[in-house]
């Protein structure tokens, strides 16, 4: 069903997602609601909730599943426990799922094979250097640091690196980056399958927009 299809990736503001009446906390699984209840900062709680809802919407749009049946599960291979770790859709082992949130922004991606997505505010400056070196190639860091204003270049490297990491970092991953000036966001998605473009959130968030994609 999903072979040969491009990855569906979306960047949106938290408020855009939470404004949709069909997207609500009642769609979350009990374990997700328990995790959400532990988030004490209201703005961060909104981000987490919006991210969980946006990935459901992307999964419903990609698979044709209803919103109530499109929620991802999570499993940590390191500790062997559920409820955290890499997200996946139950019963669809060939489908990759990824989600990200940061300071009023959310992103989600769904598609064949490994998928990773990351979003950050365009004003954020990653660091310190010791952290950057653990994720990013030294040559790329030196090139970015040599620029008159290295901040934006370092942020793009960070977002790309996070997307690659979430997708598993294996060979053959393709990268697509987007700077969303309207929302003040920098995002990237990594996947083995083609990633044609980030879908406009208004297309996905319009009433009835969670129907299946065409072939």
């Amino acid at each position: 069903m999903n072979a040969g299809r491009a990855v569906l990736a979306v960047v949106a503001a938290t408020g855009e997602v939470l404004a949709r009446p069909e997207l609500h906390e009642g769609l979350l699984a009990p374990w997700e609601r328990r995790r959400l209840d532990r988030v004490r900062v209201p703005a961060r709680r909104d981000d987490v909730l919006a991210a969980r809802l946006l990935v459901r919407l992307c999964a419903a749009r990609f698979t044709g599943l209803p919103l109530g049946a499109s929620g991802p599960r999570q499993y940590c291979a390191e500790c062997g426990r559920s409820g955290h770790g890499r997200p996946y859709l139950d019963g669809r082992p060939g489908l990759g799922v990824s989600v990200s949130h940061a300071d009023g922004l959310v992103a989600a991606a769904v598609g064949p094979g490994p998928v990773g997505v990351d979003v950050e505010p365009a004003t954020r400056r990653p660091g310190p250097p010791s952290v950057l070196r653990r994720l990013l190639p030294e040559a790329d860091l030196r090139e970015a640091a040599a620029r008159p204003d290295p901040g934006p270049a370092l942020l793009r490297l960070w977002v790309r690196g996070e997307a690659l990491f979430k997708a598993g970092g294996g060979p053959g991953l393709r990268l697509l980056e987007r700077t969303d000036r309207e929302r003040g966001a920098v995002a990237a998605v990594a996947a083995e399958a083609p990633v044609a473009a980030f879908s406009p959130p208004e297309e996905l968030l319009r009433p009835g927009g969670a129907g299946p994609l065409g072939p």
Side-chain angles (χ1 to χ4, degrees):
M1 175 183 175
N2 299 320
R5 291 176 58 182
V7 173
L8 172 62
V10 178
V11 174
T14 292
E16 290 178 287
V17 177
L18 298 184
R20 299 304 314 165
E22 71 274 23
L23 300 176
H24 52 82
E25 192 172 325
L27 292 170
L28 270 58
W31 68 269
E32 291 176 293
R33 290 196 290 272
R34 288 193 294 270
R35 286 182 59 183
L36 191 65
D37 288 343
R38 293 197 291 267
V39 182
R40 300 304 182 188
V41 180
R44 180 170 173 80
R45 188 184 192 278
D46 285 349
D47 289 345
V48 173
L49 174 58
R52 305 301 303 187
L53 295 174
L54 182 61
V55 76
R56 276 173 164 74
L57 193 59
C58 287
R61 175 77 163 164
F62 193 90
T63 65
L65 290 169
L67 279 171
S70 61
R73 300 187 180 188
Q74 287 181 265
Y75 176 76
C76 178
E78 291 186 6
C79 71
R81 298 177 65 182
S82 300
H84 65 285
R86 191 182 302 275
Y88 67 97
L89 286 182
D90 196 27
R92 294 179 183 258
L95 201 64
V97 180
S98 187
V99 64
S100 179
H101 57 81
D103 296 341
L105 299 167
V106 290
V110 177
V115 174
V117 72
D118 193 58
V119 66
E120 295 286 353
T123 55
R124 177 162 293 171
R125 295 297 175 257
S130 59
V131 175
L132 295 175
R133 290 191 185 97
R134 287 204 297 267
L135 180 67
L136 304 174
E138 185 67 33
D140 292 344
L141 289 174
R142 285 198 301 267
E143 181 181 348
R147 300 189 180 196
D149 181 9
L154 289 171
L155 180 64
R156 289 194 298 271
L157 286 174
W158 176 264
V159 169
R160 291 175 196 163
E162 282 286 300
L164 288 167
F165 176 78
K166 291 179 181 181
L173 291 174
R174 316 176 192 209
L175 262 175
L176 179 70
E177 182 188 314
R178 179 185 181 191
T179 298
D180 188 329
R181 291 181 173 82
E182 179 183 350
R183 294 170 182 84
V186 176
V189 59
E192 288 182 354
V195 186
F198 281 89
S199 296
E202 57 269 18
E203 176 182 325
L204 197 70
L205 294 169
R206 73 176 185 273
L213 290 172

